Amino acid sequence: MDNAPDPDAFPRQFARTRRFSLGVPRHFTVSPDGRRILFVRTGSGTDPVGRLRQYEGGAERVLADPALLVGAGSGAVPEEERLRRERTRERSGGVVTYAADDAVRLVAFALSGALWAVRTDGGAPFSVPAAGPVVDPRPSPDGRHIAYVSRGSFHVVGLDGTDRQLARPEGPEISYGLAEYVAAESMHRLRGYWWAPDSRHLLVARVDTGPVARRYLSDPSDPAKPPRSIPYPAAGTPNADVTVQLHSLDGERIDVRWDRAAYEYLVDAGWDVHGPFLAVQSRDQRTLRMLAVDPATGATTLLHERTDPAWVELVSGTPARTVSGALVLPEDTGGTRYLTVGGERVTPEGMQLREVLAIEGEQVLFRATEDPTETHVWRHEPGRALRRLSREPGRHTGTGRGGTVVVDSATPRGNEVSVVRADEATGAQAARAASGAGRAPYDVIVSSAEDPVVDPRPLPLTLGERELRGALYLPSWHAQGEGTLPVLLDPYAGPGMQLVGRARPWFACVSQWFAEQGFAVLVVDGRGTPGRGPAWEKAVHGDQLAPVLEDQVDALRAAGARFPELDLERVAIRGWSFGGFLAAAAVLHRPDVFHAAVAGAPPTDQRLYDTHWKERFLGHPEEKPENYARSSLAGHGHLLRRPLLLVHGLADDNVAAAHTLRFSAELLAAGRPHSVLPLSGATHLPADERINENLLRFQRDFLLDALGRAPGGGTNGAGAPSSGAEDAGGAL
């Protein structure tokens, strides 16, 4: 093991770089002429302060540096902004996000609740007077005004400081211009208002959380600190009452009308050259409607309707319209999710639409998957063949405007950002790939992220009858035939996320680090994960456990048959969130296969999770209680026979700590030994560097001890952990 990475170096780096997110350029905006690009990047791979930057003519300059702005860091981040950052898993500070006018000449951003703006053609950032702590500031298309939300009120301020309060909350449970919990967490709609092209009108959401049940988050380590109340709509309970209004800068207000009893979810909205529109969805999520809004009366008319017997999958960037009015929509038929424009399929069978990235004129920029391990950026333009703008293996996304495409790539080498002309993208990238030459300075936005001290070495696999995509990570010091290795499954395996791919994300580095500790680490994306079409995603409808667990078992056995060094008598599994749920379920239901588990933030009782996300897969709990029973860990605690470590942040407002605490109580009542590691003050993904550093080591030690591989450890002869495992980290 002399050539193996320092076992202590990676956890420290992983925590210090905040999962290698610092220093990565992101949040790109392209000017109408395609010459200028705005983005955010921190100063280095360990610097947590984001700075607003502009790339032009092959060079970049800083537009706004929080360290140079007087008073920029003097206030606290407003609660609404803190929640927005939590929803997006934001790990940096400073300039976190921003918005620009249509010409990309005026940029607005918030710092510690204060409103700031900067002009991209020169000059220092300047503060703009605001009525209170500012959340989500957005300039009008003409750059003359900035809209923002403060304490639930909706404001528009002129650059001269003239502030108009267009909407004031009628009570403490009402807000204007913000997305409600399920919109931000489960629909990926982070916005609550939209400017009209004329810069004189806006479409504004009004949210009333009065009907929503309350949860109370407290900090047990500080008993003097009062609990925080949050509205959380658990499955089967009432949602927030969301309405939409048309506002003018003159103070006129018109209610938008649609059948809210039948379509209570506001999935998205917008205002283009054809007028305002909404996307609304039924509670059972089987119908999604696109509605045109009459800006004079607020009346709505049906533009398009999508239905599905399981659920209508939401695709970011849709519904939308081209400049001619052609509808840009997904279409699920058979095993393919097509992109349609004007009612015509523009993508071939087998190509899976993932997201619409940008629409300019009649051109549609989108990302799609042909091989489940890769995602590429494509461009559709009427009268021309479909063109792929990203060439190298990886997972690519991006945006484009004015003939310029920013391709944001996760590759086996790490994060890379290319700036290319759309007409030149294919040829230029292909030529570089063929020649092996590096990118020239003029077409690269540099990443300052650190390279991980652990270099992932995944072996790509296709396993079993269902051709499950997997990756096997072996220790760098291991030579074939030198002996067997205990196996660690390291999945997520849930909706909305793939772990297996031709890239180097942070979770691949973590899997390799566990391999360096002496495991053969297997990662598998099974049924229910994206990238393999509607039928694959919806194979978990009504049961989010049996198919998912079956895929992990089948993949493990197939890998074991191909690689004799995998010791199938010593198999552990770890995961977080849905992966944590799967890890705990594995040792409950398949102790013949899995011998130990670490379950982080596991949703143990599906009835405690939110309405939109959980009812999508399992239906309404009053109508389909059996789905919730079969897909929950609750009620099955008596089955535990293997070592299990439960880890949970006590301030988690996504998967409440009650999931773990109630399940632990059930295990204790059944006389089933287990370990619990509570993380004081931690949310769904812990942000504290000390926690993130030591949590990796703690999991490693628990698993090695449970499998009889820890130095000085062993087993009691029955596969249970040796003395001390049960009380590690606050055991019950």
Side-chain angles (χ1 to χ4, degrees):
M1 294 182 59
D2 292 341
N3 295 326
D6 177 359
D8 287 329
F10 178 78
R12 190 175 306 116
Q13 184 192 38
F14 176 73
R16 189 181 67 246
T17 62
R18 302 187 183 181
R19 298 182 175 90
F20 302 98
S21 65
L22 302 181
V24 176
R26 50 207 173 91
H27 301 314
F28 302 98
T29 302
V30 185
S31 64
D33 60 8
R35 295 180 179 180
R36 295 175 293 109
I37 300 165
L38 303 183
F39 66 100
V40 172
R41 189 184 63 220
T42 68
S44 71
T46 56
D47 176 11
V49 179
R51 295 163 179 83
L52 177 65
R53 303 168 189 265
Q54 180 170 264
Y55 177 93
E56 182 178 12
E60 64 175 68
R61 64 186 177 93
V62 175
L63 295 180
D65 183 346
L68 303 180
L69 303 182
V70 177
S74 59
V77 175
E79 178 65 10
E80 298 95 335
E81 179 61 23
R82 188 198 67 78
L83 292 174
R84 281 169 55 85
R85 295 184 185 186
E86 178 65 19
R87 298 284 79 79
T88 57
R89 311 294 184 248
E90 178 59 55
R91 302 184 182 99
S92 64
V95 180
V96 174
T97 188
Y98 66 90
D101 63 358
D102 187 64
V104 191
R105 292 298 182 186
L106 179 74
V107 187
F109 55 95
L111 285 174
S112 302
L115 176 58
W116 289 81
V118 65
R119 297 192 183 278
T120 60
D121 54 3
F126 55 95
S127 62
V128 180
V134 169
V135 177
D136 196 23
R138 294 180 179 272
S140 58
D142 63 9
R144 298 177 59 188
H145 304 90
I146 300 174
Y148 67 92
V149 179
S150 181
R151 299 189 178 98
S153 294
F154 187 71
H155 294 255
V156 173
V157 61
L159 298 186
D160 61 358
T162 302
D163 195 298
R164 300 177 176 91
Q165 186 183 54
L166 299 186
R168 174 184 299 177
E170 296 85 352
E173 297 168 334
I174 296 172
S175 65
Y176 286 87
L178 295 175
E180 74 278 18
Y181 178 89
V182 294
E185 187 67 44
S186 300
M187 303 179 206
H188 308 295
R189 174 174 65 81
L190 298 174
R191 299 181 60 176
Y193 70 91
W194 300 263
W195 277 101
D198 68 2
S199 298
R200 300 292 303 172
H201 299 82
L202 301 106
L203 198 62
V204 182
R206 177 186 184 272
V207 175
D208 181 357
T209 61
V212 182
R214 261 48 183 176
R215 287 184 174 179
Y216 299 89
L217 299 181
S218 63
D219 184 359
S221 68
D222 186 0
K225 187 177 181 180
R228 178 167 60 93
S229 172
I230 61 170
Y232 188 98
T237 67
N239 282 301
D241 183 22
V242 180
T243 55
V244 179
Q245 298 174 347
L246 294 154
H247 288 257
S248 74
L249 298 190
D250 297 330
E252 184 182 9
R253 180 186 306 191
I254 300 172
D255 291 329
V256 176
R257 303 186 304 278
W258 78 94
D259 186 353
R260 293 193 297 112
Y263 302 95
E264 65 181 83
Y265 288 125
L266 176 66
V267 171
D268 206 352
W271 200 323
D272 58 21
V273 295
H274 305 285
F277 64 89
L278 308 178
V280 297
Q281 191 178 39
S282 57
R283 176 71 182 249
D284 65 12
Q285 300 185 49
R286 295 175 180 174
T287 304
L288 178 69
R289 286 186 162 188
M290 182 180 185
L291 306 176
V293 180
D294 184 338
T297 67
T300 56
T301 56
L302 179 65
L303 291 176
H304 189 268
E305 181 176 274
R306 293 173 59 204
T307 61
D308 190 277
W311 72 82
V312 175
E313 183 70 16
L314 305 182
V315 177
S316 294
T318 67
R321 293 181 285 204
T322 68
V323 71
S324 70
L327 296 183
V328 179
L329 299 162
E331 178 190 315
D332 290 1
T333 301
T336 300
R337 175 162 297 131
Y338 297 91
L339 171 66
T340 68
V341 179
E344 299 293 329
R345 296 177 184 171
V346 299
T347 51
E349 183 179 359
M351 177 186 286
Q352 310 298 342
L353 174 67
R354 304 295 295 274
E355 180 181 7
V356 171
L357 301 170
I359 298 174
E360 185 176 20
E362 299 304 313
Q363 295 182 12
V364 180
L365 194 71
F366 65 98
R367 63 186 184 99
T369 297
E370 294 177 295
D371 176 341
T373 65
E374 298 188 28
T375 306
H376 286 277
V377 175
W378 297 76
R379 185 184 64 176
H380 160 73
E381 184 177 1
R384 301 185 65 178
L386 201 64
R387 300 190 68 183
R388 196 175 94 176
L389 305 182
S390 53
R391 281 293 175 187
E392 299 182 61
R395 295 208 182 276
H396 307 268
T397 185
T399 190
R401 198 178 182 194
T404 293
V405 177
V406 179
V407 181
D408 186 2
S409 305
T411 75
R413 296 184 300 274
N415 177 267
E416 300 178 357
V417 178
S418 300
V419 180
V420 293
R421 297 290 295 181
D423 289 336
E424 301 169 356
T426 301
Q429 291 195 357
R432 281 195 300 271
S435 67
R439 287 181 169 84
Y442 63 84
D443 66 355
V444 169
I445 294 179
V446 176
S447 172
S448 300
E450 287 193 4
D451 286 327
V453 296
V454 170
D455 186 20
R457 301 153 47 99
L459 297 173
L461 303 173
T462 300
L463 301 166
E465 295 181 356
R466 286 181 292 280
E467 298 184 335
L468 302 164
R469 298 312 196 269
L472 181 63
Y473 299 81
L474 297 174
S476 60
W477 44 264
H478 175 76
Q480 190 171 3
E482 284 191 349
T484 61
L485 297 167
V487 183
L488 174 62
L489 272 69
D490 198 10
Y492 178 76
M497 186 173 182
Q498 290 174 278
L499 298 191
V500 180
R502 301 185 68 179
R504 194 188 70 186
W506 65 264
F507 39 81
C509 299
V510 170
S511 293
Q512 185 66 50
W513 179 79
F514 273 100
E516 300 299 339
Q517 312 310 303
F519 294 98
V521 179
L522 181 63
V523 180
V524 176
D525 290 334
R527 284 170 287 178
T529 59
R532 291 189 63 174
W536 184 265
E537 292 173 351
K538 295 172 184 178
V540 298
H541 186 233
D543 188 347
Q544 282 197 284
L545 178 54
V548 179
L549 182 55
E550 181 183 15
D551 285 346
Q552 297 296 314
V553 173
D554 288 354
L556 172 64
R557 288 175 171 167
R562 290 175 56 180
F563 298 92
E565 56 261 60
L566 273 58
D567 185 351
L568 300 191
E569 297 301 317
R570 292 180 296 163
V571 178
I573 182 171
R574 66 177 288 274
W576 202 269
S577 196
F578 188 94
F581 155 75
L582 177 59
V587 289
L588 285 181
H589 295 287
R590 295 305 304 268
D592 56 319
V593 176
F594 300 96
H595 308 100
V598 173
T604 61
D605 186 344
Q606 306 295 0
R607 295 169 300 178
L608 294 179
Y609 210 75
D610 78 61
T611 51
H612 194 272
W613 188 256
K614 199 47 58 179
E615 292 174 16
R616 179 185 311 175
F617 309 107
L618 302 180
H620 196 289
E622 292 182 3
E623 299 171 0
K624 299 290 184 181
E626 68 279 7
N627 292 350
Y628 287 79
R630 74 164 63 96
S631 300
S632 294
L633 306 181
H636 303 286
H638 63 283
L639 299 175
L640 184 64
R641 298 292 188 276
R642 298 294 191 183
L644 171 63
L645 170 63
L646 300 168
V647 186
H648 217 123
L650 297 182
D652 193 335
D653 60 357
N654 180 7
V655 181
H659 284 271
T660 283
L661 298 177
R662 291 183 183 183
F663 187 59
S664 175
E666 179 184 331
L667 293 172
L668 185 62
R672 302 304 178 193
H674 61 287
S675 303
V676 176
L677 178 61
L679 306 177
S680 181
T683 54
H684 191 56
L685 288 177
D688 187 279
E689 291 186 13
R690 295 167 299 177
I691 289 177
N692 283 325
E693 176 180 348
N694 292 307
L695 186 56
L696 286 176
R697 299 190 182 105
F698 193 92
Q699 294 177 75
R700 171 199 62 191
D701 294 344
F702 176 87
L703 293 171
L704 287 173
D705 191 40
L707 297 179
R709 291 276 292 181
T715 66
N716 62 12
S722 58
S723 176
E726 287 86 3
D727 58 7
L732 297 178

